[in-house]
Each structure stands twice: as C-alpha cells, then as structure tokens.
Amino acid sequence: MSTIRTVTETLIRQVKADIHPDAVLVLPDDVFEVQRTPSVILQGPRVSENKLRRSQSRLIEKDVDALSFEECSFPRLYHLDFDLIVTVDREVELLEFQESVSRFVQCNPVLTITDQGQLNLTEIAPLGGLNRVNLSNLKQSSGRIRIEDCPVYDGEIKNGHLIKDRTFQFHGSVNEERTYEPKGDEQ
C-alpha cells in the first residue's frame, strides 16, 4: 500500500470535484506550460517529516475472535505540501477562484481517505498569498495547502497468537492449579 500516493490521489479527486474539473498534478520542480485557461495546477507534494511526532513504540492490533495479533512499528508521519496555482484570462475569474479555494479549505478541514481514516487539510498560504513569476499576459495566483501527518509504514508486520488459556499454579500451604479460559468461552 502506498499511503502518499493514495492521499495525493484523494486530494486531486476532491479538488476536481470542488474547485475545477480539469485540475492536474505537476511534480514540485517540473516546468509546466498552461495550455488553456482557466487552469488549476497542484504542484507537489513537497514532503517533510513531522519529527516531533516520531515514536519508537509499536502498534498492536488484536483479533480476539481468531486469537491472533498483528504488530508493526509506529509509522513515520509526513506533511505533504502542495502549491495551488490558478491561471485565468481576467481578474474577475481570479477573484472567483480565490473565493472557491477559500471555500474548499473551509468546507474540507479533513480529507477522508477511503478505508484509512481522515487527515487534516490546512491552508498554509491563501490563494494570492505567494509570489509567482508570471511572464505572460494571463492572470495568475498561487497559494499553498498541506495534508498533515500522512502515515508511512515500514511494511514489516509480525503475526502471532494470543494466549488462549492461562494456568496458574499456587504452591505453599495450599497446592492448587487453576486454568482460566477466555471470557468468550465462559457461559
């Protein structure tokens, strides 16, 4: 499973649904040319680790019905930054896109990833908040959004069995042996 890819694809689908149906993804340092306007480009992701949330602990998921467990390392958490670049012919269209992008961020504070939960979506710089070199007669504006704490697992999963029966032996003045079965087996 590629978490960064899944999250990026989910963001693109959401931008296409809420901002512009022809939005495209461009890699961070790729040169791109706008073929037709209006144009909405997501440039990224620029990946940075959230080092403050790095953990050496282990994640353990129990399946009591099957009496088994899975264990793996806690995932590394990464921020995915995307520059959002809008190119239009007229200033009025640009103002409409600024409002549309602002509404998008307000209405989607979390990005729901199918079968994996939710990740926070924040606005680092509003559309129009970043400088752009524009060498054309087109109107252009850019901003930055971030998907926070995207988990990336190491892929090493350990499987094991849970303890089914526990036997305790008591020694001393009274010698006794008791076996305790799981609660699901008691009547």
Side-chain angles (χ1 to χ4, degrees):
M1 174 184 68
S2 174
T3 309
I4 292 176
R5 177 181 173 183
T6 304
V7 170
T8 301
E9 289 172 348
T10 303
L11 176 64
I12 292 168
R13 281 192 294 277
Q14 194 70 42
V15 167
K16 285 184 174 199
D18 293 352
I19 297 174
H20 194 270
D22 294 328
V24 295
L25 176 70
V26 175
L27 294 176
D29 294 323
D30 277 2
V31 176
F32 62 92
E33 180 181 346
V34 174
Q35 299 294 327
R36 61 179 187 257
T37 59
S39 167
V40 176
I41 296 172
L42 280 170
Q43 191 172 25
R46 293 187 190 278
V47 180
S48 61
E49 184 181 1
N50 187 352
K51 292 180 182 177
L52 297 176
R53 297 202 49 205
R54 187 184 288 185
S55 175
Q56 298 301 320
S57 66
R58 310 278 297 166
L59 291 177
I60 299 174
E61 186 174 316
K62 297 185 290 185
D63 183 0
V64 177
D65 294 335
L67 290 173
S68 65
F69 71 91
E70 289 184 345
E71 177 184 7
C72 66
S73 296
F74 194 81
R76 295 274 176 99
L77 301 174
Y78 293 94
H79 296 317
L80 308 179
D81 291 349
F82 295 88
D83 286 351
L84 188 62
I85 304 160
V86 174
T87 307
V88 294
D89 291 325
R90 299 173 307 157
E91 293 86 354
V92 173
E93 289 177 296
L94 193 56
L95 294 173
E96 289 171 357
F97 270 106
Q98 285 177 326
E99 185 174 337
S100 178
V101 170
S102 179
R103 187 179 309 112
F104 170 77
V105 174
Q106 289 176 23
C107 294
N108 297 293
V110 293
L111 190 64
T112 302
I113 312 302
T114 308
D115 299 332
Q116 295 182 30
Q118 298 178 329
L119 296 174
N120 291 337
L121 177 66
T122 58
E123 184 176 49
I124 303 299
L127 191 64
L130 296 178
N131 293 333
R132 292 230 31 97
V133 176
N134 189 358
L135 303 175
S136 68
N137 289 333
L138 300 172
K139 310 306 177 225
Q140 197 172 64
S141 188
S142 65
R144 184 168 292 144
I145 57 176
R146 170 180 281 176
I147 298 173
E148 296 179 348
D149 298 333
C150 177
V152 175
Y153 295 88
D154 64 4
E156 296 178 18
I157 298 174
K158 296 179 184 176
N159 295 313
H161 298 287
L162 294 175
I163 297 172
K164 181 177 179 184
D165 298 326
R166 297 168 304 278
T167 302
F168 295 92
Q169 294 178 344
F170 301 97
H171 296 281
S173 61
V174 176
N175 289 334
E176 185 177 337
E177 185 174 303
R178 291 186 188 175
T179 300
Y180 296 94
E181 295 179 0
K183 291 183 180 182
D185 294 345
E186 295 178 358
Q187 294 183 7

